[in-house]
Amino acid sequence: MRRPGSPAASLRYGAAVLHLAGQDSRGLARALGIDLADARRILGAVVGRARPLREARNVRREVLDRVEARCSAARLRQLAVADAPDGFRKYLFQLPDGARVEAVRIPLFDTHHTLCLSSQVGCALGCAFCATGRLGLERNLAAWEIVAQFLEVRADSARPITGAVFMGQGEPFHNYEAVLQAAYVLCDPAGGRVDQRRISISTAGVIPMIRRYTAEGHKFRLCVSLNAALPSKRAALMPIERGQPLGELVDAVREHAARRGRVTLEYVMLAGVNVGEEDAAALGRLLRGIPVRLNPIDVNDPTGRFAPPSPEEWTRFRDALSRELPGQPVVRRYSGGKEEHAACGMLAAGMDSPARDRRARDR
């Protein structure tokens, strides 16, 4: 398996230094020319325990001196937090260059959390139903900036964070190297200690990178944002369809499923647009013979252009899916945090929601 990452790959801007949160143990050892055991102890301090470098245990002073000289200790600045009534919490972070991104902490069973992470400042894809897409793309995040979202939210949480989803701002496969570097830091036993099987990477359908991801054999869960099974509808909703067509995307999904098993397909439901019986029939034809898990989710569009299906419309669509996709799991995802614009498709790097419980922080 090929892991991403020469040291230079993690440097998106600024001084030519590494950041300790942007490398897993093996990457840190390679980049700094230190023993793997020392790299694990250092990552265990900085990421695993969120302590300063100098508190790494059983590492020689000369090694710590070398690491300190070559590595940045930059942090994100937490600007604001907004709490939704259902327990979702949205965080607004400022990056060292002044850009802003958001992350969302998602409650699970009142015992632990998963975390929705951003991978870019803005997004270039311009999906019609997504607030992030209306921002345009400013830049990619460095791997450490992704991991730092996890560290900041973990420090603010009494319950453990046991999962991560790359479903925040940005298209993860347009920042492929940094996203995978960050994922490996999160699952490193000395780092974030998150089970690989509980890390999901979502893509709108960047076909060359899906194929590369499959060939490289990564074990994180792949999620593909499908949203329509008819090319004309998908092109109207997702401009990526015009250059990376549905048929080729499904071929890439089929290849991944053959190697890794069932693929999760996300399907944003828009009333009167993509939830008719003809849409279910098209899904059945498109996905025949591919083991998938279909996750329909209500659209969240504060502009009012799109609305989620009514209960009756959802029931008809669900029944049609049962007929057209026999034996395939169809699991409707809960769309949480919408009161604070923390739900899927609503992240726009600001706190313009009608927050009642909001805290500003300077760090």
Side-chain angles (χ1 to χ4, degrees):
M1 182 194 310
R2 178 185 176 275
R3 292 191 181 187
S6 65
S10 67
L11 305 176
R12 301 301 183 193
Y13 68 95
V17 295
L18 296 172
H19 196 290
L20 291 173
Q23 309 283 333
D24 67 358
S25 298
R26 294 183 184 279
L28 193 62
R30 286 194 304 269
L32 297 175
I34 62 177
D35 290 341
L36 178 58
D38 284 338
R40 285 174 174 155
R41 294 182 187 114
I42 289 168
L43 193 69
V46 174
V47 175
R49 301 193 309 277
R51 304 304 301 165
L53 168 65
R54 291 288 173 177
E55 293 190 23
R57 300 164 183 162
N58 301 317
V59 180
R60 299 187 312 277
R61 180 178 298 175
E62 57 266 32
V63 173
L64 293 176
D65 290 343
R66 187 195 319 173
V67 172
E68 189 173 61
R70 291 195 55 193
C71 291
S72 165
R75 293 184 60 180
L76 306 187
R77 183 182 176 205
Q78 191 180 115
L79 297 180
V81 177
D83 288 317
D86 54 9
F88 282 59
R89 173 172 284 188
K90 183 172 73 169
Y91 295 81
L92 176 65
F93 295 115
Q94 182 172 291
L95 309 177
D97 62 352
R100 296 181 174 189
V101 295
E102 291 170 329
V104 178
R105 192 183 72 187
I106 302 168
L108 297 174
F109 307 111
D110 295 325
T111 57
H112 55 287
H113 301 287
T114 195
L115 182 59
C116 180
L117 297 165
S118 291
S119 57
Q120 295 181 304
V121 182
C123 182
L125 293 183
C127 296
F129 48 81
C130 181
T132 308
R134 291 191 282 272
L135 297 176
L137 177 65
E138 187 171 333
R139 68 170 176 87
N140 286 337
L141 297 189
W144 79 263
E145 291 172 319
I146 300 171
V147 175
Q149 297 170 56
F150 174 88
L151 297 179
E152 294 290 337
V153 175
R154 187 182 65 181
D156 187 50
S157 304
R159 299 170 186 163
I161 296 175
T162 59
V165 294
F166 288 83
M167 298 180 184
Q169 292 170 247
E171 163 53 57
F173 276 1
H174 280 173
N175 192 14
Y176 185 89
E177 295 279 349
V179 163
L180 282 172
Q181 281 179 237
Y184 278 108
V185 176
L186 293 179
C187 73
D188 194 305
R193 303 168 188 165
V194 177
D195 190 324
Q196 283 192 43
R197 295 168 297 180
R198 294 185 176 180
I199 297 175
S200 298
I201 301 176
S202 176
T203 176
V206 184
I207 297 167
M209 308 317 289
I210 293 174
R211 290 197 161 120
R212 175 179 168 184
Y213 182 85
T214 300
E216 290 176 354
H218 305 288
K219 295 181 181 179
F220 311 112
R221 182 180 297 158
L222 177 66
C223 302
V224 177
S225 189
L226 191 65
N227 304 321
L230 297 168
S232 59
K233 286 191 179 184
R234 194 167 192 267
L237 297 172
M238 304 176 70
I240 191 173
E241 168 69 20
R242 296 164 196 157
Q244 305 198 47
L246 191 57
E248 294 180 25
L249 174 59
V250 172
D251 286 344
V253 168
R254 182 180 289 106
E255 292 166 12
H256 187 82
R259 290 200 183 190
R260 300 290 310 145
R262 198 175 299 277
V263 178
T264 297
L265 300 179
E266 298 151 333
Y267 196 92
V268 177
M269 296 188 294
L270 300 88
V273 177
N274 64 348
V275 290
E277 293 202 10
E278 74 280 6
D279 300 292
L283 282 166
R285 292 191 299 271
L286 192 69
L287 303 176
R288 188 166 291 117
I290 308 174
V292 298
R293 172 190 173 101
L294 188 66
N295 276 0
I297 186 171
D298 288 349
V299 69
N300 298 292
D301 183 9
T303 70
R305 179 182 176 189
F306 298 110
S310 67
E312 296 76 17
E313 196 172 15
W314 157 244
T315 298
R316 289 193 298 271
F317 186 52
R318 180 200 63 199
D319 292 346
L321 289 173
S322 297
R323 292 192 302 271
E324 300 293 345
L325 294 171
Q328 302 274 44
V330 177
V331 182
R332 189 179 189 180
R333 273 178 56 199
Y334 171 66
S335 183
K338 63 184 69 175
E339 293 86 354
E340 294 296 342
H341 291 190
C344 181
M346 300 184 81
L347 300 187
M351 287 286 178
D352 54 352
S353 59
R356 299 293 183 185
D357 181 11
R358 184 175 302 164
R359 296 176 289 158
R361 296 183 178 182
D362 288 331
R363 292 193 169 184

